[in-house]
Amino acid sequence: MGPLPGYIQQRNELFDELKQKHASELQQKDKPEIDIEIIEDNKDPVSMKVKAWETTPAHLLRHVDKGFASQVVVAKIEDELWDLDRPIEKPCKIRYVPFSATEGRMVFWHSSAHILGEACECHFDCHLSHGPPVEEGFFYDMRIGEGEAVKENDLPPLQDGANKVMKEKQPFERLFVTKLDLEKMFGYSKYKMHYINSLLPEEGSTVYRCGTLVDLCRGPHIQNTSKVKALKLMKTSSCYFLGDKDGDSLQRIYGVAFPDKKLLTEHLKFLEEAAKRDHRRIGKDQELFMFDDLSPGCPFFLPNGTRIFNAIQSFIREQYFVRGFQEVQSPNIFDVDLWKTSGHWGHYETNMFALDGVKAALKPMNCPAHALVFKSKERTYRELPLRMADFGVLHRNEASGALSGLTRVRKFQQDDAHIFCTVDQITKEIEDCFDFMSHVYKAFDMDFTLLLSTRPEKFIGDIEVWNIAEEKLTQALNNYCARTGRRWELNPGDGAFYGPKVDVDVYDALKRKFQEFMNGEVASKVAKEEPQVEETTPARSKEPGVGRARPVMEHFAGRWPFWLSPRQVLVVPVMPALNEYVEEVQAKLRARQIFADIDISGNTMPKKILRGQQQLYNFIFVVGAQEKESGTVNIRNRDDQKTQAKGELIPLDEAISKLVELRDQRRLVNSINVKGASVGGNSANGVAIEEALKKAEAKVAELTAKLKEAGLGS
């Protein structure tokens, strides 16, 4: 590495100067004794007196369990995350946050992004934009030169640079800097200046230094770079500054880091499995959906994908009916006055598709439309609760750089509903929604957690109504969790601008959290004596994706349960002479609305079966002359290796009846039982044994007759 550019040297010299001034001021501060309390799970609190502006949370780690202390990333003083080496300022309660906690990982990965940022500045002489933690690691955006891009051969030296920073045990130094000094410190960078001028308060903000990197950052951070024991750069991509296609094109480098090398090894294995489950890969392999540049961000659901979509929609529609919801359809285009009245225009205008030449926009959500339906006539309290459901198409003007598979799109549908009810009915209705949601996710074999998101800083409506709404949601959560043994958590300040909500985090087979599904948003737009609006979806994505398509797709890894499967049965003939019977079998299956394909190509039978197995058909029916003559089929089960050879012949009509039962009961196990015989199940094969005995007896009778003919029998 050569000498640092002049602007970096000047930035760092200013930091040193201000740091020295701060240290001198800290030295002069009074350091009175204050009372603090250390809180540790499953232990009595530890109370003690310490010196303010001198004692740090790191000094107090000796008072917690040694094993736990080794895992601690950051402290939490009251509700604020706090650097371990930052002096305590006033009486407080202190908790410690380990890497295993979400907050701990986010801090750890944020610090790891700074390590990457330092390596990038030294290697590229680049202008850094921002480097946040994300769900599975971190990234840093940067400008490395006009038209230049990060190349594959840049990653090894960057990895070496990051490893060097980790070994040097560089401390993370925190410093508050006035806005004027921030402008001097980062005046060379248009990106940092944007954040300074548009995001920071007038009094200024904090910066952090590790090694040669000084970065604009609120923190907090780990103590020093040696806490990172394993860091791996994962991939690179291009992006736009602030996600604006008209902005500068930046380079983004992704990475992940851990406090233990074993954790990195486990994570890489996890990523291998996750890659196999990637919904974009499954969507292509199974021909479920596609995109086209002529309609960016708007998925085309192909026949197979539409089959899954319709199966899910039918399931939800059935549940809506059973639970007393009435389905409606509303227009796609509304005058912008509606969105101004609802409050969406002021908060959401940039994410809406406005139509040129008219004061109208495509709807991004259904709430105002349902409100119009509700107020279209005089209502009485006897009509309440009025439960309204909608599967309408929605559009949101997502930035092109944010579009990703089905995770974030511009056109989508969701199973969206609103409940109009009295204040006294809210708690019961929300509880019923939780039961609804639980039923839905049980059908997909997915688990979930509940979070109550309360009033944000920017909101509309009366605080009194907000308080009532939050109280009702809390009561509903307590009642539901008491009945089911579940727990819920508080998520302060993350409610919608128009009302508090319950966020539902859903987990797939790999225990990944998908998006943050919402249930039970209670709008506080109306006075408390009027009907309240309660928004509920069994599983609507907070991200503008396509309902639950992506999480369900990756949860099952393309091995769909029969009721969801777009490829339920493949019928394969032993020889071409049986093609007519194959078509007859297919027709009978389709008559019962079972998705049945046939393979009467010129390939050999083993190749046809192999192709069906690769395409993950739930069942493969193999038919020969014997099956045709007896009106039966030989069934191979995708999930049962024991059925992958010729087995018992099953009457076709009975097999179809059992498949219909498997579908309609929405069972997750891919198994049918016919006459006591199990195709993919674990029950005893009584009929098979009985028929084997009959065949043996017939064979004995045949041999006896031959012996008699030869004069050898009695």
Side-chain angles (χ1 to χ4, degrees):
M1 182 186 74
L4 292 170
Y7 64 86
I8 291 183
Q9 293 184 35
Q10 292 171 16
R11 177 194 69 191
N12 294 359
E13 287 169 2
L14 178 57
F15 177 91
D16 290 338
E17 178 186 327
L18 296 174
K19 181 72 174 176
Q20 188 173 358
K21 181 181 176 182
H22 171 74
S24 177
E25 292 171 351
L26 186 61
Q27 190 76 23
Q28 302 301 318
K29 266 188 180 293
D30 289 335
K31 299 178 176 62
E33 281 197 338
I34 56 174
D35 293 313
I36 64 98
E37 195 172 59
I38 300 173
I39 309 296
E40 192 175 353
D41 290 344
N42 303 318
K43 289 192 176 183
D44 293 334
V46 177
S47 301
M48 65 184 69
K49 292 184 180 295
V50 301
K51 283 192 174 183
W53 299 101
E54 180 177 289
T55 305
T56 69
H59 292 146
L60 305 175
L61 274 173
R62 65 180 182 274
H63 296 289
V64 303
D65 178 80
K66 189 174 181 181
F68 176 73
S70 66
Q71 303 169 31
V72 167
V73 170
V74 69
K76 195 168 190 177
I77 293 184
E78 304 302 343
D79 289 326
E80 183 181 357
L81 291 173
W82 199 273
D83 301 271
L84 289 174
D85 288 332
R86 179 182 171 186
I88 301 167
E89 299 171 1
K90 58 186 178 182
C92 61
K93 293 181 179 179
I94 303 175
R95 291 180 178 273
Y96 291 98
V97 184
F99 179 82
S100 58
T102 300
E103 288 180 316
R105 285 195 300 279
M106 292 297 106
V107 168
F108 192 90
W109 285 337
H110 187 187
S111 301
S112 302
H114 280 237
I115 292 174
L116 171 60
E118 181 180 351
C120 289
E121 272 197 345
C122 293
H123 182 72
F124 289 121
D125 181 15
C126 59
H127 285 191
L128 299 175
S129 171
H130 76 308
V134 289
E135 193 71 27
E136 292 183 354
F138 57 89
F139 67 79
Y140 221 119
D141 290 348
M142 66 206 74
R143 176 83 164 180
I144 64 173
E146 188 67 36
E148 294 186 33
V150 178
K151 302 178 183 65
E152 194 68 30
N153 58 11
D154 286 317
L155 292 184
L158 282 176
Q159 182 75 62
D160 292 342
N163 292 342
K164 180 174 180 290
V165 171
M166 289 153 53
K167 290 177 182 176
E168 289 177 353
K169 200 177 181 179
Q170 300 172 0
F172 279 87
E173 302 175 85
R174 180 182 184 273
L175 181 65
F176 185 87
V177 181
T178 65
K179 197 164 186 178
L180 181 62
D181 282 329
L182 286 174
E183 290 170 350
K184 293 178 185 177
M185 190 174 284
F186 296 104
Y188 65 89
S189 170
K190 63 187 288 189
Y191 312 117
K192 300 298 182 185
M193 289 302 296
H194 170 82
Y195 300 131
I196 291 168
N197 293 324
S198 63
L199 299 179
L200 299 186
E202 285 303 314
E203 59 268 24
S205 186
T206 53
V207 297
Y208 278 79
R209 178 172 185 167
C210 65
T212 61
L213 176 68
V214 175
D215 208 359
L216 184 68
C217 182
R218 291 193 178 98
H221 284 283
I222 59 178
Q223 287 177 285
N224 62 69
T225 58
S226 73
K227 298 293 182 181
V228 180
K229 302 300 183 185
L231 183 151
K232 183 172 178 59
L233 304 183
M234 303 300 294
K235 62 179 180 179
T236 67
S237 68
S238 296
C239 61
Y240 292 112
F241 180 56
L242 303 178
D244 182 358
K245 68 181 188 315
D246 296 322
D248 285 356
S249 177
L250 305 180
Q251 296 297 298
R252 176 173 293 179
I253 302 176
Y254 290 88
V256 69
F258 295 93
D260 188 315
K261 292 180 179 179
K262 290 181 181 178
L263 292 176
L264 175 60
T265 301
E266 291 171 1
H267 179 73
L268 294 178
K269 289 180 180 177
F270 168 85
L271 291 180
E272 285 180 19
E273 180 60 31
K276 297 174 187 175
R277 294 171 177 264
D278 190 298
H279 75 286
R280 291 162 296 189
R281 176 178 176 176
I282 295 169
K284 182 178 180 181
D285 290 347
Q286 297 191 352
E287 298 180 329
L288 304 180
F289 63 89
M290 58 167 272
F291 289 91
D292 192 284
D293 291 342
L294 293 176
S295 185
C298 299
F300 293 70
F301 274 78
L302 303 174
N304 284 345
T306 302
R307 290 174 177 181
I308 298 170
F309 182 96
N310 288 341
I312 294 175
Q313 189 178 70
S314 295
F315 172 43
I316 300 300
R317 179 172 278 129
E318 174 189 296
Q319 289 299 311
Y320 273 143
F321 181 81
V322 168
R323 297 170 192 276
F325 287 80
Q326 301 179 65
E327 190 175 338
V328 299
Q329 295 185 20
S330 54
N332 283 333
I333 301 173
F334 287 94
D335 190 296
V336 297
D337 286 343
L338 174 67
W339 307 109
K340 291 177 181 178
T341 300
S342 69
H344 287 90
W345 193 254
H347 290 77
Y348 214 77
E349 178 186 0
T350 57
N351 292 99
M352 295 173 67
F353 283 104
L355 305 184
D356 292 337
V358 291
K359 284 175 47 184
L362 293 172
K363 66 176 180 182
M365 65 276 293
N366 289 308
C367 329
H370 290 184
L372 290 179
V373 174
F374 180 80
K375 76 170 194 173
S376 64
K377 69 172 189 175
E378 291 292 326
R379 305 280 183 181
T380 71
Y381 282 94
R382 293 184 181 88
E383 294 180 73
L384 304 180
L386 178 60
R387 307 180 187 100
M388 204 177 296
D390 198 327
F391 292 100
V393 175
L394 304 176
H395 291 84
R396 295 184 184 177
N397 190 14
E398 299 291 338
S400 59
L403 300 175
S404 175
L406 297 181
T407 305
R408 191 173 282 270
V409 295
R410 288 176 174 163
K411 175 263 179 185
F412 61 101
Q413 288 174 260
Q414 60 191 23
D415 40 344
D416 196 8
H418 295 83
I419 300 172
F420 297 82
C421 62
T422 65
V423 172
D424 292 339
Q425 292 170 334
I426 290 176
T427 300
K428 175 66 165 58
E429 289 300 310
I430 289 291
E431 279 191 69
D432 289 346
C433 290
F434 292 153
D435 290 332
F436 186 177
M437 177 192 63
S438 179
H439 180 82
V440 168
Y441 283 116
K442 185 177 181 181
F444 296 117
D445 194 29
M446 299 177 81
D447 198 11
F448 61 88
T449 55
L450 302 165
L451 300 93
L452 173 59
S453 296
T454 55
R455 186 176 68 248
E457 290 184 15
K458 295 182 179 180
F459 65 92
I460 61 174
D462 299 327
I463 288 183
E464 184 182 357
V465 180
W466 273 86
N467 291 339
I468 292 171
E470 290 179 2
E471 177 189 341
K472 296 295 182 182
L473 284 179
T474 300
Q475 188 178 344
L477 282 165
N478 286 337
N479 293 348
Y480 173 74
C481 290
R483 281 194 291 111
T484 62
R486 287 187 174 274
R487 299 175 62 185
W488 64 274
E489 297 177 15
L490 189 64
N491 188 21
D494 200 38
F497 69 88
Y498 50 82
K501 65 185 192 298
V502 175
D503 285 343
V504 183
D505 292 345
V506 183
Y507 297 86
D508 71 356
L510 296 182
K511 305 302 178 186
R512 293 176 299 177
K513 182 175 73 175
F514 275 88
Q515 299 156 342
E516 277 183 317
F517 286 60
M518 298 192 296
N519 178 71
E521 298 180 2
V522 179
S524 45
K525 293 181 252 186
V526 293
K528 63 180 180 180
E529 67 272 10
E530 295 182 358
Q532 300 294 300
V533 184
E534 183 180 306
E535 181 173 33
T536 176
T537 60
R540 177 179 50 134
S541 168
K542 189 174 183 179
E543 299 290 346
V546 186
R548 63 181 64 75
R550 180 201 167 193
V552 171
M553 204 177 296
E554 298 192 358
H555 176 66
F556 289 118
R559 301 180 74 88
W560 301 99
F562 189 78
W563 72 275
L564 278 175
S565 180
R567 291 171 169 164
Q568 293 175 329
V569 177
L570 176 66
V571 189
V572 173
V574 171
M575 53 188 174
L578 296 163
N579 288 355
E580 187 176 327
Y581 181 60
V582 165
E583 292 172 347
E584 179 186 333
V585 171
Q586 181 191 35
K588 286 190 174 184
L589 287 163
R590 288 188 169 182
R592 301 298 297 276
Q593 297 184 332
I594 293 171
F595 299 128
D597 298 321
I598 61 176
D599 190 342
I600 54 176
S601 66
N603 289 328
T604 63
M605 185 189 73
K607 283 187 177 180
K608 293 175 182 179
I609 293 173
L610 177 61
R611 175 176 168 273
Q613 292 170 336
Q614 291 171 339
Q615 293 180 332
L616 298 178
Y617 280 88
N618 296 70
F619 298 97
I620 298 176
F621 286 9
V622 181
V623 296
Q626 188 179 2
E627 286 82 0
K628 178 182 178 181
E629 183 180 340
S630 58
T632 59
V633 289
N634 190 276
I635 303 178
R636 299 184 182 218
N637 183 331
R638 178 194 66 194
D639 298 339
D640 187 353
Q641 191 60 36
K642 296 193 299 294
T643 67
Q644 301 308 310
K646 182 174 174 62
E648 183 185 354
L649 302 186
I650 307 295
L652 176 59
D653 290 342
E654 193 167 354
I656 292 175
S657 176
K658 292 298 181 180
L659 289 177
V660 169
E661 183 182 285
L662 177 64
R663 178 195 64 200
D664 293 349
Q665 292 179 359
R666 297 190 177 95
R667 300 203 302 266
L668 291 168
V669 177
N670 199 57
S671 172
I672 58 173
N673 292 292
V674 186
K675 285 187 177 179
S678 174
V679 182
N682 297 315
S683 61
N685 194 345
V687 172
I689 294 172
E690 183 179 339
E691 291 194 358
L693 288 171
K694 286 181 179 178
K695 289 179 182 178
E697 288 171 358
K699 190 68 174 175
V700 169
E702 180 184 347
L703 289 172
T704 301
K706 288 182 178 180
L707 287 171
K708 284 183 178 179
E709 287 177 7
L712 299 174
S714 55

